[in-house]
């Protein structure tokens, strides 16, 4: 017997759903254990803004900017990060600055 699927909020997306140049605020991270801990250590905290910088030629991995750092995630990993479109759209040069 398969577990029931949870309905997602239509305003929620995953990092995998975004296009190059899109910004989004992290809502939560699905998953458990080492994977989730690794993302949290890299700064994937709820409320943090992420910029989708670019996709590799076959769309895997995805390069993104978070807290001024460039990070690459596989599409499968990016699908575990729930986001909502960012209400504040900053110029690229401001997203790249380290705080």
């Amino acid at each position: 017997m398969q577990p029931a699927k949870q309905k997602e909020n239509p305003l929620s997306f995953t990092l995998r759903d975004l296009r190059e140049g899109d910004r989004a605020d992290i809502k939560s991270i699905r998953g458990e254990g080492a994977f989730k801990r690794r993302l949290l250590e890299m700064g994937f905290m709820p409320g943090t803004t992420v910029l989708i910088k670019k996709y590799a030629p076959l769309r895997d991995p995805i390069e993104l900017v978070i807290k001024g750092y460039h990070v690459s995630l596989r599409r499968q990993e990016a699908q575990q990060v729930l986001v909502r479109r960012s209400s504040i759209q900053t110029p690229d040069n401001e997203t790249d600055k380290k705080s």
Side-chain angles (χ1 to χ4, degrees), residues 42-75:
M42 290 192 304
F44 286 79
M45 305 293 275
T48 303
T49 301
V50 176
L51 166 68
I52 305 300
K53 195 69 171 176
K54 64 181 175 182
Y55 282 85
L58 297 176
R59 298 194 50 83
D60 195 23
I62 304 166
E63 180 185 349
L64 37 107
V65 179
I66 182 166
K67 295 187 174 186
Y69 295 96
H70 291 253
V71 177
S72 292
L73 290 180
R74 294 269 177 213
R75 290 177 64 197

Side-chain angles (χ1 to χ4, degrees), residues 14-68:
T14 66
L15 283 178
R16 182 179 175 171
D17 300 324
L18 301 175
R19 297 181 184 167
E20 287 182 14
D22 284 350
R23 284 181 180 72
D25 297 324
I26 296 173
K27 285 181 63 175
S28 64
I29 299 171
R30 294 187 243 177
E32 298 288 328
F35 169 75
K36 186 172 184 176
R37 185 172 47 252
R38 188 184 98 212
L39 289 182
L40 291 169
E41 288 171 352
M42 290 192 304
F44 286 79
M45 305 293 275
T48 303
T49 301
V50 176
L51 166 68
I52 305 300
K53 195 69 171 176
K54 64 181 175 182
Y55 282 85
L58 297 176
R59 298 194 50 83
D60 195 23
I62 304 166
E63 180 185 349
L64 37 107
V65 179
I66 182 166
K67 295 187 174 186

Side-chain angles (χ1 to χ4, degrees), residues 67-94:
K67 295 187 174 186
Y69 295 96
H70 291 253
V71 177
S72 292
L73 290 180
R74 294 269 177 213
R75 290 177 64 197
Q76 183 178 6
E77 295 169 334
Q79 192 169 356
Q80 301 302 313
V81 181
L82 295 174
V83 297
R84 64 179 163 269
R85 300 249 183 228
S86 182
S87 57
I88 299 173
Q89 298 295 317
T90 58
D92 286 344
N93 59 351
E94 288 187 25

